[in-house]
Amino acid sequence: FPVTICFRAQDSKFFSNSTVSFDYSTIGLKLDFPIFQGGAIHLSGQAAKWQIRSAELEKEIAYDQLQKEHQDWSNELKQAIEKEAILKKKMELAAENLRIALVRYQEGLMGIDEYFNIFYENSTARINFWQNHYNGILYSNLLQLNSFENQ
């Protein structure tokens, strides 16, 4: 039980306008001792237990979120690997189409707008390939940095 003890001492002289002076001194002792706390100690123990349980639940939630992110990154990496060959072939075909379109444009068999459409398709195919490639690198690195195998 918490006990509080205070001690106070004071000594002073009091002078009035007349020639009479008064001396006084005081000494005090204050003692606080709780007789009944109404189960406060038990309740504070229960509160501590609930705080521990709350922290454990927050830890579990964070771990579950990390596992979900890990699974998502794994799926993204798998998709990037599966799409790479297809996008590479598409990029090669678009480059070949552009080469043919340039020859046809130079021969006057194709208009500039058709050529620019094929040029745009070639650029889009190259962007898609490299975006997929860098996504694969990104997800591979994320998986290596946040590996759950070591935990």
Side-chain angles (χ1 to χ4, degrees), residues 30-131:
K30 178 181 176 184
L31 177 65
D32 284 339
F33 185 79
I35 296 173
F36 178 72
Q37 292 186 343
I41 294 173
H42 175 71
L43 291 176
S44 65
Q46 289 292 346
K49 287 179 185 177
W50 283 110
Q51 288 174 343
I52 290 170
R53 181 64 184 140
S54 175
E56 289 171 349
L57 288 173
E58 288 177 12
K59 178 184 171 187
E60 289 175 17
I61 289 169
Y63 186 77
D64 289 344
Q65 288 174 343
L66 285 174
Q67 281 185 317
K68 183 187 177 309
E69 281 183 351
H70 191 269
Q71 186 61 44
D72 290 345
W73 295 338
S74 180
N75 291 339
E76 292 289 339
L77 177 60
K78 183 179 176 184
Q79 288 176 1
I81 291 170
E82 291 171 354
K83 287 173 27 178
E84 185 159 357
I86 295 168
L87 291 174
K88 186 174 184 178
K89 184 68 175 171
K90 189 174 182 179
M91 183 176 67
E92 291 169 355
L93 290 173
E96 180 63 20
N97 286 344
L98 183 62
R99 187 191 64 75
I100 293 169
L102 180 60
V103 170
R104 291 186 70 197
Y105 173 72
Q106 289 173 343
E107 292 175 351
L109 300 173
M110 178 183 288
I112 189 77
D113 57 337
E114 290 176 282
Y115 176 77
F116 280 137
N117 284 341
I118 293 172
F119 182 83
Y120 174 76
E121 288 173 8
N122 178 58
S123 299
T124 302
R126 293 174 70 80
I127 289 169
N128 289 340
F129 172 79
W130 288 109
Q131 182 65 50

Side-chain angles (χ1 to χ4, degrees), residues 70 73 141-151:
H70 191 269
W73 295 338
N141 288 335
L142 285 172
L143 287 170
Q144 288 175 1
L145 288 173
N146 297 312
S147 177
F148 284 97
E149 296 170 354
N150 297 332
Q151 296 178 358

Side-chain angles (χ1 to χ4, degrees), residues 8-51:
R8 180 177 175 198
Q10 183 177 359
D11 187 15
S12 182
K13 290 188 176 184
F14 176 73
F15 294 97
S16 66
N17 290 341
S18 65
T19 58
V20 179
S21 66
F22 298 98
D23 290 335
Y24 68 92
S25 297
T26 59
I27 291 182
L29 180 64
K30 178 181 176 184
L31 177 65
D32 284 339
F33 185 79
I35 296 173
F36 178 72
Q37 292 186 343
I41 294 173
H42 175 71
L43 291 176
S44 65
Q46 289 292 346
K49 287 179 185 177
W50 283 110
Q51 288 174 343

